[in-house]
Amino acid sequence: MTGSKRKSGRSKLVHITYRCPSNKYSCNNKEINKVYLENYVVSMLERYILNPSALKKLAKLIEGQSKVSNEEDIKEQIHQELEETKKALKNVADAIASGLISDVLVAKLNDLEARKASLEEKLMNSQHECKDISIDTGFILAEYAAVKDSPSLPEYKTFISNFIDKIEVGKYTVNVTLKTGLDIFPELNTTYNVRRQEIYEYRKE
């Protein structure tokens, strides 16, 4: 669906809605008031992201996910280096076993064995090498407070859009995907299925 603007009624009031772009498309969705929808989405942001309690929970979740991801990346890198070291170690050992012994090969063998032991120890302690990320929740809330009362400003629209992944308008419901992963872990984004009726009821509150 796309944005649509038109005047209707004797008063010629401007109505802004989301509607299907043309009759060429097979679409049975009814148009939905743009202002009502956007106001509802902002209320969702305030409920699920833009408040101290929700933001604190999201930050904790993201920081925990970051630690797990970092640990997995580090372990994968160490595993790869360890496998390469084991292969090199086997090649040198096989060469010595076949009679190609020399001071250079013995020194290489000792270096590789030391390298292997170091990597195995590093793998055991890899969790201590992870770097945690930190979310400045206070800064995010302060930014919102600065634009919250000026919804017509471009800065407001830009700020709000930073926390919305997509909005899909259906015949009876609207799927709203919020960036609860805060653009750090998109896999943590959350999609909410909202009935059209809820959107219009919220407008009456």
Side-chain angles (χ1 to χ4, degrees):
M1 301 187 82
T2 61
S4 171
K5 182 190 292 186
R6 71 181 190 279
K7 293 181 180 180
S8 65
R10 293 181 178 179
S11 60
K12 297 299 181 183
L13 292 175
V14 175
H15 291 269
I16 302 175
T17 64
Y18 285 108
R19 62 189 304 183
C20 292
S22 75
N23 294 329
K24 293 187 297 182
Y25 295 87
S26 177
C27 178
N28 296 320
N29 296 349
K30 294 181 179 179
E31 62 184 4
I32 187 169
N33 187 286
K34 180 176 183 288
V35 175
Y36 297 167
L37 177 57
E38 291 180 351
N39 287 345
Y40 188 86
V41 171
V42 170
S43 76
M44 293 179 67
L45 287 175
E46 292 179 339
R47 189 187 324 166
Y48 297 116
I49 299 179
L50 299 175
N51 73 74
S53 177
L55 203 51
K56 184 178 180 180
K57 290 178 182 178
L58 291 179
K60 187 175 181 180
L61 181 64
I62 290 169
E63 289 164 5
Q65 181 71 20
S66 174
K67 184 175 181 180
V68 171
S69 297
N70 285 338
E71 184 175 343
E72 289 176 350
D73 290 342
I74 290 172
K75 283 186 175 180
E76 183 178 352
Q77 182 179 353
I78 296 174
H79 269 300
Q80 185 175 352
E81 292 181 22
L82 185 57
E83 287 304 310
E84 292 174 355
T85 301
K86 286 180 178 179
K87 287 179 182 178
L89 187 58
K90 183 178 184 303
N91 290 337
V92 173
D94 288 345
I96 292 175
S98 66
L100 298 175
I101 189 168
S102 69
D103 291 341
V104 174
L105 283 177
V106 171
K108 181 67 173 178
L109 183 67
N110 291 334
D111 287 344
L112 288 171
E113 286 178 339
R115 172 72 174 164
K116 177 175 173 287
S118 175
L119 287 170
E120 288 174 338
E121 182 179 1
K122 194 174 182 180
L123 187 62
M124 292 179 61
N125 300 320
S126 60
Q127 64 269 23
H128 301 303
E129 300 181 21
C130 298
K131 295 181 179 179
D132 296 336
I133 65 171
S134 179
I135 308 288
D136 191 343
T137 59
F139 178 76
I140 294 174
L141 293 172
E143 275 197 317
Y144 183 47
V147 300
K148 183 178 180 180
D149 297 325
S150 305
S152 60
L153 291 179
E155 292 83 358
Y156 174 89
K157 298 180 186 300
T158 298
F159 179 85
I160 292 298
S161 66
N162 287 334
F163 297 92
I164 302 171
D165 182 29
K166 60 183 176 180
I167 300 174
E168 298 174 318
V169 179
K171 187 174 182 179
Y172 302 109
T173 61
V174 178
N175 290 331
V176 181
T177 302
L178 302 182
K179 293 184 179 180
T180 45
L182 300 182
D183 272 335
I184 300 173
F185 291 106
E187 61 269 28
L188 296 179
N189 291 351
T190 308
T191 299
Y192 300 91
N193 186 262
V194 183
R195 291 182 296 111
R196 283 174 174 257
Q197 183 180 347
E198 291 181 47
I199 296 171
Y200 281 91
E201 287 178 349
Y202 174 79
R203 184 263 306 183
K204 297 176 183 179
E205 295 180 0

PDB file of all heavy atoms in Angstrom, residues 65-82:
ATOM      1  N   GLN A  65      23.319 -10.944  23.904  1.00  0.00           N
ATOM      2  CA  GLN A  65      23.458 -11.524  22.560  1.00  0.00           C
ATOM      3  C   GLN A  65      24.830 -11.209  21.975  1.00  0.00           C
ATOM      4  O   GLN A  65      25.442 -12.040  21.298  1.00  0.00           O
ATOM      5  CB  GLN A  65      22.365 -10.979  21.643  1.00  0.00           C
ATOM      6  CG  GLN A  65      22.388 -11.519  20.225  1.00  0.00           C
ATOM      7  CD  GLN A  65      21.972 -12.972  20.149  1.00  0.00           C
ATOM      8  OE1 GLN A  65      21.321 -13.483  21.065  1.00  0.00           O
ATOM      9  NE2 GLN A  65      22.342 -13.642  19.083  1.00  0.00           N
ATOM     10  N   SER A  66      25.319 -10.001  22.248  1.00  0.00           N
ATOM     11  CA  SER A  66      26.632  -9.588  21.753  1.00  0.00           C
ATOM     12  C   SER A  66      27.726 -10.466  22.341  1.00  0.00           C
ATOM     13  O   SER A  66      28.656 -10.881  21.641  1.00  0.00           O
ATOM     14  CB  SER A  66      26.891  -8.118  22.106  1.00  0.00           C
ATOM     15  OG  SER A  66      28.200  -7.743  21.758  1.00  0.00           O
ATOM     16  N   LYS A  67      27.606 -10.765  23.628  1.00  0.00           N
ATOM     17  CA  LYS A  67      28.616 -11.601  24.286  1.00  0.00           C
ATOM     18  C   LYS A  67      28.646 -12.990  23.674  1.00  0.00           C
ATOM     19  O   LYS A  67      29.709 -13.548  23.409  1.00  0.00           O
ATOM     20  CB  LYS A  67      28.317 -11.690  25.780  1.00  0.00           C
ATOM     21  CG  LYS A  67      29.365 -12.462  26.563  1.00  0.00           C
ATOM     22  CD  LYS A  67      29.080 -12.410  28.048  1.00  0.00           C
ATOM     23  CE  LYS A  67      30.161 -13.160  28.827  1.00  0.00           C
ATOM     24  NZ  LYS A  67      29.922 -13.125  30.287  1.00  0.00           N
ATOM     25  N   VAL A  68      27.455 -13.556  23.432  1.00  0.00           N
ATOM     26  CA  VAL A  68      27.362 -14.892  22.831  1.00  0.00           C
ATOM     27  C   VAL A  68      27.950 -14.888  21.426  1.00  0.00           C
ATOM     28  O   VAL A  68      28.723 -15.777  21.047  1.00  0.00           O
ATOM     29  CB  VAL A  68      25.891 -15.364  22.793  1.00  0.00           C
ATOM     30  CG1 VAL A  68      25.769 -16.645  21.963  1.00  0.00           C
ATOM     31  CG2 VAL A  68      25.375 -15.595  24.199  1.00  0.00           C
ATOM     32  N   SER A  69      27.593 -13.863  20.636  1.00  0.00           N
ATOM     33  CA  SER A  69      28.072 -13.776  19.249  1.00  0.00           C
ATOM     34  C   SER A  69      29.575 -13.607  19.196  1.00  0.00           C
ATOM     35  O   SER A  69      30.258 -14.228  18.378  1.00  0.00           O
ATOM     36  CB  SER A  69      27.389 -12.609  18.527  1.00  0.00           C
ATOM     37  OG  SER A  69      25.993 -12.809  18.455  1.00  0.00           O
ATOM     38  N   ASN A  70      30.114 -12.752  20.068  1.00  0.00           N
ATOM     39  CA  ASN A  70      31.558 -12.530  20.105  1.00  0.00           C
ATOM     40  C   ASN A  70      32.300 -13.807  20.476  1.00  0.00           C
ATOM     41  O   ASN A  70      33.329 -14.150  19.895  1.00  0.00           O
ATOM     42  CB  ASN A  70      31.907 -11.429  21.117  1.00  0.00           C
ATOM     43  CG  ASN A  70      31.571 -10.049  20.592  1.00  0.00           C
ATOM     44  OD1 ASN A  70      31.467  -9.847  19.383  1.00  0.00           O
ATOM     45  ND2 ASN A  70      31.393  -9.111  21.491  1.00  0.00           N
ATOM     46  N   GLU A  71      31.752 -14.525  21.462  1.00  0.00           N
ATOM     47  CA  GLU A  71      32.387 -15.757  21.900  1.00  0.00           C
ATOM     48  C   GLU A  71      32.396 -16.792  20.775  1.00  0.00           C
ATOM     49  O   GLU A  71      33.398 -17.479  20.559  1.00  0.00           O
ATOM     50  CB  GLU A  71      31.648 -16.317  23.124  1.00  0.00           C
ATOM     51  CG  GLU A  71      32.299 -17.563  23.707  1.00  0.00           C
ATOM     52  CD  GLU A  71      31.626 -18.023  24.985  1.00  0.00           C
ATOM     53  OE1 GLU A  71      30.885 -17.229  25.593  1.00  0.00           O
ATOM     54  OE2 GLU A  71      31.846 -19.190  25.352  1.00  0.00           O
ATOM     55  N   GLU A  72      31.287 -16.874  20.046  1.00  0.00           N
ATOM     56  CA  GLU A  72      31.204 -17.825  18.933  1.00  0.00           C
ATOM     57  C   GLU A  72      32.194 -17.468  17.831  1.00  0.00           C
ATOM     58  O   GLU A  72      32.837 -18.348  17.246  1.00  0.00           O
ATOM     59  CB  GLU A  72      29.780 -17.853  18.384  1.00  0.00           C
ATOM     60  CG  GLU A  72      28.780 -18.514  19.328  1.00  0.00           C
ATOM     61  CD  GLU A  72      27.363 -18.438  18.805  1.00  0.00           C
ATOM     62  OE1 GLU A  72      27.137 -17.716  17.818  1.00  0.00           O
ATOM     63  OE2 GLU A  72      26.482 -19.102  19.391  1.00  0.00           O
ATOM     64  N   ASP A  73      32.316 -16.164  17.518  1.00  0.00           N
ATOM     65  CA  ASP A  73      33.255 -15.719  16.483  1.00  0.00           C
ATOM     66  C   ASP A  73      34.691 -16.033  16.876  1.00  0.00           C
ATOM     67  O   ASP A  73      35.499 -16.488  16.053  1.00  0.00           O
ATOM     68  CB  ASP A  73      33.095 -14.214  16.239  1.00  0.00           C
ATOM     69  CG  ASP A  73      31.792 -13.882  15.544  1.00  0.00           C
ATOM     70  OD1 ASP A  73      31.183 -14.793  14.959  1.00  0.00           O
ATOM     71  OD2 ASP A  73      31.376 -12.711  15.596  1.00  0.00           O
ATOM     72  N   ILE A  74      35.023 -15.759  18.145  1.00  0.00           N
ATOM     73  CA  ILE A  74      36.382 -16.000  18.626  1.00  0.00           C
ATOM     74  C   ILE A  74      36.704 -17.498  18.595  1.00  0.00           C
ATOM     75  O   ILE A  74      37.775 -17.912  18.148  1.00  0.00           O
ATOM     76  CB  ILE A  74      36.552 -15.440  20.061  1.00  0.00           C
ATOM     77  CG1 ILE A  74      36.538 -13.907  20.021  1.00  0.00           C
ATOM     78  CG2 ILE A  74      37.854 -15.943  20.679  1.00  0.00           C
ATOM     79  CD1 ILE A  74      36.514 -13.264  21.391  1.00  0.00           C
ATOM     80  N   LYS A  75      35.751 -18.300  19.050  1.00  0.00           N
ATOM     81  CA  LYS A  75      35.977 -19.747  19.065  1.00  0.00           C
ATOM     82  C   LYS A  75      36.154 -20.293  17.655  1.00  0.00           C
ATOM     83  O   LYS A  75      36.994 -21.156  17.416  1.00  0.00           O
ATOM     84  CB  LYS A  75      34.808 -20.447  19.765  1.00  0.00           C
ATOM     85  CG  LYS A  75      34.842 -20.350  21.280  1.00  0.00           C
ATOM     86  CD  LYS A  75      33.738 -21.182  21.906  1.00  0.00           C
ATOM     87  CE  LYS A  75      33.846 -21.180  23.427  1.00  0.00           C
ATOM     88  NZ  LYS A  75      32.788 -21.992  24.058  1.00  0.00           N
ATOM     89  N   GLU A  76      35.355 -19.788  16.722  1.00  0.00           N
ATOM     90  CA  GLU A  76      35.457 -20.257  15.338  1.00  0.00           C
ATOM     91  C   GLU A  76      36.832 -19.928  14.752  1.00  0.00           C
ATOM     92  O   GLU A  76      37.438 -20.749  14.054  1.00  0.00           O
ATOM     93  CB  GLU A  76      34.357 -19.601  14.497  1.00  0.00           C
ATOM     94  CG  GLU A  76      34.340 -20.085  13.056  1.00  0.00           C
ATOM     95  CD  GLU A  76      33.223 -19.455  12.242  1.00  0.00           C
ATOM     96  OE1 GLU A  76      32.382 -18.759  12.830  1.00  0.00           O
ATOM     97  OE2 GLU A  76      33.213 -19.665  11.013  1.00  0.00           O
ATOM     98  N   GLN A  77      37.318 -18.720  15.049  1.00  0.00           N
ATOM     99  CA  GLN A  77      38.630 -18.316  14.547  1.00  0.00           C
ATOM    100  C   GLN A  77      39.744 -19.180  15.146  1.00  0.00           C
ATOM    101  O   GLN A  77      40.660 -19.619  14.439  1.00  0.00           O
ATOM    102  CB  GLN A  77      38.876 -16.841  14.886  1.00  0.00           C
ATOM    103  CG  GLN A  77      40.198 -16.314  14.358  1.00  0.00           C
ATOM    104  CD  GLN A  77      40.399 -14.846  14.693  1.00  0.00           C
ATOM    105  OE1 GLN A  77      39.497 -14.183  15.207  1.00  0.00           O
ATOM    106  NE2 GLN A  77      41.573 -14.335  14.409  1.00  0.00           N
ATOM    107  N   ILE A  78      39.648 -19.435  16.459  1.00  0.00           N
ATOM    108  CA  ILE A  78      40.667 -20.260  17.122  1.00  0.00           C
ATOM    109  C   ILE A  78      40.617 -21.690  16.594  1.00  0.00           C
ATOM    110  O   ILE A  78      41.660 -22.323  16.361  1.00  0.00           O
ATOM    111  CB  ILE A  78      40.469 -20.242  18.648  1.00  0.00           C
ATOM    112  CG1 ILE A  78      40.677 -18.827  19.202  1.00  0.00           C
ATOM    113  CG2 ILE A  78      41.451 -21.201  19.326  1.00  0.00           C
ATOM    114  CD1 ILE A  78      40.354 -18.696  20.680  1.00  0.00           C
ATOM    115  N   HIS A  79      39.411 -22.222  16.401  1.00  0.00           N
ATOM    116  CA  HIS A  79      39.265 -23.587  15.863  1.00  0.00           C
ATOM    117  C   HIS A  79      39.947 -23.698  14.500  1.00  0.00           C
ATOM    118  O   HIS A  79      40.629 -24.690  14.210  1.00  0.00           O
ATOM    119  CB  HIS A  79      37.776 -23.937  15.721  1.00  0.00           C
ATOM    120  CG  HIS A  79      37.190 -24.600  16.933  1.00  0.00           C
ATOM    121  ND1 HIS A  79      37.652 -25.798  17.433  1.00  0.00           N
ATOM    122  CD2 HIS A  79      36.170 -24.216  17.750  1.00  0.00           C
ATOM    123  CE1 HIS A  79      36.959 -26.140  18.491  1.00  0.00           C
ATOM    124  NE2 HIS A  79      36.040 -25.205  18.722  1.00  0.00           N
ATOM    125  N   GLN A  80      39.747 -22.688  13.663  1.00  0.00           N
ATOM    126  CA  GLN A  80      40.337 -22.711  12.328  1.00  0.00           C
ATOM    127  C   GLN A  80      41.866 -22.700  12.404  1.00  0.00           C
ATOM    128  O   GLN A  80      42.541 -23.455  11.712  1.00  0.00           O
ATOM    129  CB  GLN A  80      39.842 -21.502  11.526  1.00  0.00           C
ATOM    130  CG  GLN A  80      40.308 -21.497  10.076  1.00  0.00           C
ATOM    131  CD  GLN A  80      39.709 -20.347   9.283  1.00  0.00           C
ATOM    132  OE1 GLN A  80      38.835 -19.634   9.757  1.00  0.00           O
ATOM    133  NE2 GLN A  80      40.190 -20.155   8.080  1.00  0.00           N
ATOM    134  N   GLU A  81      42.407 -21.830  13.267  1.00  0.00           N
ATOM    135  CA  GLU A  81      43.865 -21.750  13.432  1.00  0.00           C
ATOM    136  C   GLU A  81      44.407 -23.060  14.004  1.00  0.00           C
ATOM    137  O   GLU A  81      45.495 -23.526  13.621  1.00  0.00           O
ATOM    138  CB  GLU A  81      44.227 -20.587  14.353  1.00  0.00           C
ATOM    139  CG  GLU A  81      43.950 -19.210  13.762  1.00  0.00           C
ATOM    140  CD  GLU A  81      44.355 -18.096  14.707  1.00  0.00           C
ATOM    141  OE1 GLU A  81      45.200 -18.342  15.588  1.00  0.00           O
ATOM    142  OE2 GLU A  81      43.816 -16.982  14.567  1.00  0.00           O
ATOM    143  N   LEU A  82      43.642 -23.653  14.919  1.00  0.00           N
ATOM    144  CA  LEU A  82      44.087 -24.903  15.545  1.00  0.00           C
ATOM    145  C   LEU A  82      44.130 -26.039  14.530  1.00  0.00           C
ATOM    146  O   LEU A  82      45.081 -26.838  14.513  1.00  0.00           O
ATOM    147  CB  LEU A  82      43.150 -25.254  16.709  1.00  0.00           C
ATOM    148  CG  LEU A  82      43.522 -26.472  17.557  1.00  0.00           C
ATOM    149  CD1 LEU A  82      44.920 -26.323  18.146  1.00  0.00           C
ATOM    150  CD2 LEU A  82      42.487 -26.657  18.675  1.00  0.00           C
TER     151      LEU A  82
END
